[in-house]
Amino acid sequence: MKRKVQQLAKSLYEETKQRFPAIQFINVQEHPEQADRFWINVGGDLDEQEQESMRMFVGRKATDILIREGYSFAVMLDNTLLRATH
């Protein structure tokens, strides 16, 4: 993965983490079918309203990155990673 992509992903994650501190970084992966598209995988326990707020926040930031740099990012939340099993 290009250094520029890693820097952009890190920056987007850090901005998102500041706004939504309950998330935790997992990894960055390339989209399996689309060139120059990347998923920033995070775990966290966000309710539906917080998830929607995060999607809107990330969407605006990711659009700016796409226009400016030509790379597409999405923050993918897996909120099952932090739930206790019974």
Side-chain angles (χ1 to χ4, degrees):
M1 189 175 306
K2 295 178 184 177
R3 180 173 292 167
K4 182 67 172 180
V5 169
Q6 291 173 342
Q7 291 171 340
L8 291 168
K10 180 180 179 184
S11 177
L12 180 55
Y13 168 74
E14 288 174 355
E15 286 184 63
T16 306
K17 173 79 172 171
Q18 286 179 351
R19 180 85 185 266
F20 303 93
I23 64 170
Q24 296 178 349
F25 180 80
I26 298 171
N27 64 19
V28 176
Q29 76 182 79
E30 296 180 41
H31 190 284
E33 298 173 355
Q34 297 176 356
D36 295 330
R37 181 157 174 78
F38 301 89
W39 291 336
I40 302 168
N41 296 303
V42 300
D45 192 15
L46 302 178
D47 64 27
E48 288 182 30
Q49 185 176 358
E50 291 170 318
Q51 289 179 43
E52 181 60 27
S53 294
M54 188 176 77
R55 279 191 289 274
M56 297 295 291
F57 177 82
V58 170
R60 288 189 298 272
K61 299 288 184 182
T63 298
D64 291 344
I65 293 170
L66 179 60
I67 291 168
R68 191 177 64 245
E69 302 289 344
Y71 296 107
S72 176
F73 289 93
V75 174
M76 309 298 284
L77 175 68
D78 184 348
N79 60 5
T80 62
L81 295 176
L82 300 180
R83 289 196 180 143
T85 56
H86 300 290

